[in-house]
Amino acid sequence: MDKESVRIEFTVNNKEVALDIPADATALHVLREMLSLTGTKEGCGIGECGACTIVVDGKAVNSCLMLGAQLDGRMVTTVEGLATESGLHPLQEKFMEGHAVQCGFCTPGLLMSSHALLEEKENPTRAEIEKAIAGNICRCTGYQQVITSIETAVSERLDGENR
Amino acid sequence: MEQQFRVVGNSVPRSCSKAKVTGEIKFAADIKLDNSLVLKTKRSDQPHALIRSINVEKALAVEGVRSVFTARDIPGKNLLGIINKDQPLLAEDRVRSLADAVALVVADTEEAAERGAAAVEVEYQELEAVFDPVEALKEGAVQVHEKGNLLSCRKVVKGDVEAAFTSAYSVIEKEYTTSSIEHNYIEPDAGAGYVDENGCLVIYASTQNPHYDHKEVVGLLGVADDEVRIIQATTGGGFGSKLDLNVQGFIGLALYHLKCPVRYVYSREEAYLATAKRHPFVIRVKTATDKDGRFIALQMRAVCNTGAYGSYGMAVASRSAVHATGPYAIENVDVDVKCVYTNQTFCGAMRGFGAPQMALAHESQMDLHAQALGLDPLAIRRINGLRAGQTSATGQLLTASVGFQDCLDAVAPYYEDAKENWLSAPTDPFKRRGIGIGGMWYGIGNTGVQNPSTARVEMSPEGKVTVFTGCADIGQGSTTILAQITAEVLGLGHDDITMVVGDTGCTTNAGATSASRQTYISGNAVKDGAEKLANVLLTEAVDRLRAPKNSLHFVDGHVAVSIAPEIRVSVAKLAKRIHDKGGTLSWQGFFDPETVPLDPETGEGVPYATYAYACHMAQVEVDVLTGEVDVKRIVAAHDVGHALHPGNVVGQICGGVAMGVGFALMEEFEPGKTESMKDYHVPTVSDVPEVVPIIIESPEPSGPFGAKGVGEPALIPTAPAIINGISSALNKRIYDLPANLERVIEASIQAGHFRVQE
Ligand code: FES
Ligand code: FES
């Protein structure tokens, strides 16, 4: 059974990639299986858990619901692209310090959702933070330490800017 | 004098948290083995049937399918189960539930495996099925297993309940039911394996008990111990369901026959279909008090539905019977909990092992009696709450670390404040507010059976410490805590300790990550190993420092004289000397809590060496028109003995509360109906309340640095606190979980709130 394949070119974590993918492959499949970016997780495959969240052109999306073909021409960030040469992203640091990570399976998704929020909003309210992560299910933490960690990342960024 | 600690008691960074935030960490589904084949099972589509024939021809003809295995291909014993062996890996002559696996397909790709599984033809002869455990106990009911539908019965009997009922001031009898619950860890079960150069089958698995997995796979394949090695992959939560074999046996079977790498990643749907659930309970309870509100008798008849297989069912029945009284001293007790087979999806361990179900009953009864006597809910709990020096229903004298009253005291100011300032504050006319209290106790470790843990603590001649432990960290943070304990004993930093965890090739059995037992039991085993190592180091230091042993202590990688710390020698130097002399630097630690098995007729015995205690207060707002319940806040006080890692303890409390909210208000797994996460709602950030965690430290003398446990306790009081809150808001009690919209509206209507108010 030969499947139709399509060629896509996009930027992932600041790297340009070009590859042929099966036309029906999800973005999640392309990232995990074809590009070995296994930091993005599959928890349900149907858009209910948020473990597969990536940032596409600044927006947090469920990569299990997106076709790989739709990645063509886009700017994609996955959890592997959060840290830079100068170190971890502040959200990553705060998640670690704030004990927001237990089993860690939901963590990449939560990081990407909050990353998209922090890129969009300078000083999000608690309600905005909650809304941003409302699609990310975490069965371990009860979210409280996650929210606090995001809030700390926000406030430290503001402090840094005001200094 | 308060003991001073350097490492334990601090919220040090958790092991692996960096790899978890960067996405580098490998969960089982992330492990890529070259040329790996893919597994998929054909599951039963009958709840109860005889298998007439299995035809794999068509499946084998599917392009990309390599092999199809059935029960006949299992070389060893095709029966699994940690307590009683009753569950075949692959069905032989019959299926007993929709979850039963009938054939295992091995293929090149996921798609081929799926097509192959669909092409396996099974001819069934349908049998009558039984789903209700009460029905299953009746005479003439369909037999799920040859030995009958009653798997086990646990009794706890003390005093004379009938006499107490006769003399009682107030007697209340009610029935409660709880639902089946899906664990819904976010990482679906997964594993991968290969055969190494020595012919050993190496299996990476998402698991809570690698050493048990090892034993089962060895038995299943009929091979020697050293022919199988289980390595715990990073595990994305478990909550009890990853205590059973999920993918491990299938991977083992395929490796055994094919000798090439394989992987098996459950879809969420398969994880729902095929893994253990929480036991639903039907609980009939009758309690009596004297006129002052003192509980004088409790009688309970409960039935829990274990579905098609035992899994941890016997443990659930046992623990629930022991926990039936809740954290209260009651002189006359007569409890009988039956665990019953049906044709539902099997139920096993889930956070709390029956104690959350019991808590609904005992906490509701507490409030009902309070109401009957005009007592305050907190006051009646104070009257009855256990104190050190009292005896439990199993006749166990509780000598120390009984922090229940402290938990009540800690919640009290929040309670008074909420009553005063929050309860009557103006709100929407269709919303009613309520405050509910829930208490709990929880025995740490398995119930009245041996459940030891072992660990090896090793120092290299250069002074580097490695701990080998079979204790599976499933996200709760045990690896970090065991490193802290070792570091505390040896005067090192937590990050000086290398942890080798959950690899049956080099670790020894630590037992299951369940029953909130790892901090207490494996913590003590690691501490024992570390202290033995410390002892040889101190002995060596005596020689070097010319000072008696009891004048020495460990500090910053040295052994120093306590009163003259400048007189010291580095641990590395001591290790080198011991090594050069041919001494041993590798020590095995062991701990098994002191318990006494329960008498089969009376339940008398010492089921646990120690208990954790907690009290939650819930503030809820109920919409009387929609039935929506908004849990505003949970104040959660937990006696954990000593919080070795407060950040972890708070994490457990907040996570437990979230799961408790789900148990109370929304979660219900219906076998055959609940297929995917679309059909099953677990709390999102918008469903969870603000949590005020309060850590109570009532040190446990037998615990490692005073610690007990908190993993399961965190969940147990939440649901009853919420239910009591709803009941007080509506003036109408709900007896069945979950208290979903329909049930709350029903209660609202019955209480007369469901009408337009002038
Ligand atoms: S895997 Fe995409 S939302 Fe769950
Ligand atoms: S940390 Fe385990 S699911 Fe969130």
Side-chain angles (χ1 to χ4, degrees):
Chain A
M1 255 187 283
D2 254 2
K3 270 209 239 124
E4 219 189 304
S5 86
V6 288
R7 184 159 190 82
I8 56 170
E9 291 177 26
F10 65 107
T11 310
V12 57
N13 303 333
N14 294 322
K15 264 198 253 63
E16 318 254 311
V17 293
L19 73 168
D20 294 317
I21 63 163
D24 61 354
T26 61
L28 176 62
H29 180 88
V30 171
L31 293 169
R32 282 184 56 85
E33 307 298 329
M34 305 185 74
L35 296 173
S36 292
L37 291 169
T38 54
T40 306
K41 305 300 179 198
E42 174 164 354
C44 70
I46 55 168
E48 293 286 331
C49 76
C52 65
T53 308
I54 58 173
V55 176
V56 179
D57 290 342
K59 282 217 150 35
V61 298
N62 288 334
S63 62
C64 71
L65 293 182
M66 187 179 183
L67 278 177
Q70 293 172 293
L71 292 174
D72 191 45
R74 310 286 199 106
M75 285 274 289
V76 176
T77 311
T78 69
V79 70
E80 290 92 342
L82 269 185
T84 58
E85 259 150 43
S86 56
L88 292 180
H89 187 281
L91 278 167
Q92 291 173 311
E93 267 171 17
K94 297 306 146 201
F95 268 53
M96 283 175 70
E97 288 165 16
H99 310 290
V101 183
Q102 288 190 28
C103 80
F105 199 79
C106 67
T107 306
L110 278 165
L111 283 168
M112 298 322 290
S113 292
S114 42
H115 173 56
L117 174 71
L118 265 59
E119 289 295 290
E120 190 195 324
K121 294 221 158 84
E122 171 97 37
N123 189 11
T125 61
R126 190 181 171 102
E128 285 169 331
I129 293 174
E130 289 188 8
K131 188 161 166 243
I133 62 167
N136 294 89
I137 308 269
C138 172
R139 192 62 153 165
C140 299
T141 64
Y143 309 99
Q144 192 150 300
Q145 286 161 315
V146 173
I147 296 171
T148 318
S149 300
I150 299 171
E151 285 177 336
T152 317
V154 170
S155 61
E156 286 192 8
R157 180 171 74 178
L158 288 174
D159 286 354
E161 281 163 10
N162 295 339
R163 209 165 281 149
Chain B
M1 193 183 79
E2 281 261 311
Q3 217 179 325
Q4 292 299 312
F5 299 108
R6 295 171 313 102
V7 191
V8 300
N10 296 319
S11 300
V12 304
R14 296 163 66 107
S15 67
C16 302
S17 56
K18 181 158 181 208
K20 284 177 178 174
V21 296
T22 57
E24 272 159 43
I25 202 136
K26 297 278 179 259
F27 290 85
D30 305 331
I31 295 169
K32 291 256 163 69
L33 301 167
D34 287 341
N35 304 316
S36 181
L37 300 177
V38 174
L39 307 184
K40 185 88 198 160
T41 44
K42 168 81 174 180
R43 304 248 171 210
S44 153
D45 46 21
Q46 301 285 330
H48 199 193
L50 292 176
I51 297 176
R52 284 281 190 68
S53 67
I54 305 174
N55 188 340
V56 302
E57 293 300 311
K58 286 193 184 142
L60 283 168
V62 170
E63 197 188 322
V65 169
R66 298 288 189 97
S67 300
V68 181
F69 300 117
T70 63
R72 265 186 242 160
D73 300 302
I74 295 174
K77 208 162 172 247
N78 183 20
L79 269 186
L80 309 172
I82 190 155
I83 302 176
N84 62 310
K85 298 231 178 292
D86 61 3
Q87 184 169 21
L89 180 77
L90 290 170
E92 296 194 349
D93 57 341
R94 64 166 67 207
V95 290
R96 297 183 181 87
S97 79
L98 295 171
D100 292 22
V102 178
L104 176 68
V105 177
V106 190
D108 293 333
T109 63
E110 289 282 344
E111 287 162 356
E114 242 158 67
R115 280 200 301 275
V120 173
E121 294 172 315
V122 189
E123 200 190 323
Y124 293 106
Q125 179 188 328
E126 280 183 41
L127 296 174
E128 197 190 322
V130 59
F131 301 107
D132 182 313
V134 177
E135 289 301 312
L137 281 180
K138 290 190 177 149
E139 233 181 73
V142 183
Q143 300 294 289
V144 180
H145 288 271
E146 264 168 29
K147 55 183 194 252
N149 292 339
L150 178 64
L151 170 61
S152 71
C153 174
R154 168 63 70 198
K155 294 180 187 155
V156 176
V157 184
K158 183 189 184 189
D160 182 347
V161 284
E162 293 306 339
F165 286 137
T166 328
S167 68
Y169 180 81
S170 143
V171 178
I172 297 176
E173 184 172 1
K174 294 290 175 193
E175 186 170 296
Y176 301 86
T177 65
T178 67
S179 58
S180 184
I181 299 282
E182 160 60 34
H183 301 64
N184 214 117
Y185 33 76
I186 304 302
E187 179 213 20
D189 309 76
Y194 66 98
V195 181
D196 76 8
E197 57 288 356
N198 303 317
C200 177
L201 316 184
V202 181
I203 302 171
Y204 294 92
S206 174
T207 177
Q208 295 181 239
N209 197 353
H211 286 270
Y212 162 69
D213 295 349
H214 177 261
K215 213 163 100 196
E216 288 286 53
V217 174
V218 162
L220 196 66
L221 302 178
V223 297
D225 279 356
D226 59 1
E227 290 176 79
V228 174
R229 175 179 171 195
I230 305 281
I231 303 172
Q232 188 213 359
T234 305
T235 300
F239 311 111
S241 191
K242 290 176 182 171
L243 290 166
D244 296 295
L245 249 60
N246 293 330
V247 297
Q248 299 88 322
F250 298 122
I251 292 175
L253 183 63
L255 289 178
Y256 176 89
H257 287 290
L258 301 175
K259 313 263 183 280
C260 67
V262 297
R263 70 198 294 248
Y264 195 172
V265 180
Y266 278 3
S267 63
R268 174 62 63 187
E269 287 72 13
E270 190 159 19
Y272 269 29
L273 176 66
T275 65
K277 311 292 168 231
R278 183 191 288 287
H279 287 76
F281 269 67
V282 180
I283 304 164
R284 180 129 210 115
V285 58
K286 184 172 168 187
T287 45
T289 63
D290 63 15
K291 65 174 184 347
D292 302 322
R294 187 169 298 280
F295 270 59
I296 54 170
L298 175 140
Q299 185 173 52
M300 181 189 286
R301 295 291 174 264
V303 174
C304 69
N305 183 352
T306 201
Y309 300 104
S311 176
Y312 272 85
M314 287 165 82
V316 168
S318 223
R319 182 180 287 273
S320 55
V322 171
H323 286 73
T325 58
Y328 308 106
I330 307 179
E331 279 312 308
N332 302 290
V333 175
D334 169 19
V335 176
D336 177 311
V337 181
K338 292 185 167 56
C339 188
V340 181
Y341 286 122
T342 67
N343 295 108
Q344 299 280 28
T345 307
F346 75 102
C347 293
M350 185 174 184
R351 205 176 197 175
F353 282 96
Q357 293 92 321
M358 287 295 123
L360 171 71
H362 60 67
E363 291 310 291
S364 298
Q365 293 292 109
M366 236 343 114
D367 268 26
L368 283 166
H369 281 287
Q371 211 176 359
L373 299 168
L375 277 170
D376 181 88
L378 204 55
I380 195 166
R381 286 171 174 82
R382 279 206 168 107
I383 293 171
N384 292 287
L386 284 166
R387 294 177 163 84
Q390 286 180 321
T391 305
S392 74
T394 69
Q396 177 178 2
L397 177 67
L398 303 169
T399 52
S401 191
V402 185
F404 184 58
Q405 298 284 347
D406 302 330
C407 293
L408 296 176
D409 292 345
V411 166
Y414 293 89
Y415 179 67
E416 297 306 334
D417 179 68
K419 273 205 307 195
E420 196 123 313
N421 301 314
W422 177 80
L423 195 56
S424 54
T427 161
D428 182 319
F430 296 109
K431 291 197 171 147
R432 296 178 70 94
R433 288 181 167 180
I435 302 172
I437 300 284
M440 80 101 226
W441 67 329
Y442 191 80
I444 302 297
N446 301 358
T447 309
V449 293
Q450 292 184 320
N451 62 131
S453 176
T454 62
R456 191 153 44 90
V457 182
E458 222 173 79
M459 186 173 269
S460 73
E462 294 75 40
K464 293 267 167 282
V465 178
T466 306
V467 174
F468 296 86
T469 168
C471 167
D473 192 331
I474 57 172
Q476 86 285 25
S478 53
T479 302
T480 312
I481 282 168
L482 298 180
Q484 285 179 282
I485 290 172
T486 310
E488 185 70 48
V489 173
L490 293 169
L492 298 168
H494 71 97
D495 46 3
D496 295 329
I497 315 293
T498 303
M499 298 295 296
V500 177
V501 176
D503 176 348
T504 65
C506 55
T507 60
T508 55
N509 201 344
T513 293
S514 72
S516 303
R517 61 185 286 287
Q518 293 294 22
T519 295
Y520 177 65
I521 301 179
S522 288
N524 266 327
V526 164
K527 185 161 175 271
D528 180 43
E531 282 170 350
K532 286 173 179 158
L533 173 63
N535 191 35
V536 296
L537 292 165
L538 288 174
T539 306
E540 192 59 34
V542 166
D543 211 36
R544 277 292 294 229
L545 302 177
R546 297 175 195 290
K549 216 186 233 182
N550 62 9
S551 73
L552 303 177
H553 75 291
F554 287 91
V555 60
D556 297 335
H558 289 77
V559 173
V561 176
S562 302
I563 46 160
E566 66 287 355
I567 306 177
R568 60 188 210 165
V569 54
S570 80
V571 163
K573 224 174 242 163
L574 295 170
K576 174 102 183 21
R577 285 171 62 111
I578 295 168
H579 174 79
D580 290 350
K581 286 197 236 169
T584 181
L585 289 167
S586 172
W587 292 89
Q588 190 76 12
F590 174 86
F591 182 76
D592 193 17
E594 275 184 41
T595 60
V596 177
L598 302 180
D599 181 275
E601 287 311 314
T602 64
E604 200 176 319
V606 178
Y608 315 100
T610 185
Y611 297 79
Y613 299 87
C615 175
H616 286 193
M617 176 189 85
Q619 288 168 249
V620 304
E621 198 168 84
V622 186
D623 186 317
V624 299
L625 298 184
T626 64
E628 212 173 306
V629 176
D630 188 356
V631 185
K632 295 286 185 194
R633 185 164 78 155
I634 298 277
V635 178
H638 283 265
D639 167 22
V640 301
H642 176 195
L644 302 188
H645 190 297
N648 274 7
V649 171
V650 168
Q652 287 299 312
I653 293 174
C654 294
V657 165
M659 211 175 249
V661 169
F663 184 50
L665 300 178
M666 59 185 85
E667 294 185 39
E668 179 163 23
F669 184 90
E670 296 180 81
K673 285 193 200 147
T674 311
E675 290 179 351
S676 76
M677 279 183 74
K678 284 224 187 316
D679 315 315
Y680 191 82
H681 298 288
V682 299
T684 69
V685 71
S686 359
D687 300 307
V688 300
E690 177 202 350
V691 182
V692 181
I694 304 172
I695 298 175
I696 304 290
E697 296 188 317
S698 167
E700 163 54 43
S702 69
F705 304 108
K708 300 193 280 194
V710 72
E712 292 159 292
L715 155 111
I716 298 169
T718 311
I722 291 172
I723 296 301
N724 284 340
I726 297 172
S727 301
S728 95
L730 293 180
N731 264 323
K732 180 83 201 162
R733 183 158 288 276
I734 292 175
Y735 296 91
D736 306 291
L737 292 188
N740 52 23
L741 296 184
E742 295 77 44
R743 286 186 174 133
V744 177
I745 289 190
E746 179 61 33
S748 169
I749 292 170
Q750 284 184 15
H753 305 304
F754 191 90
R755 57 182 146 78
V756 184
Q757 300 178 343
E758 273 95 81

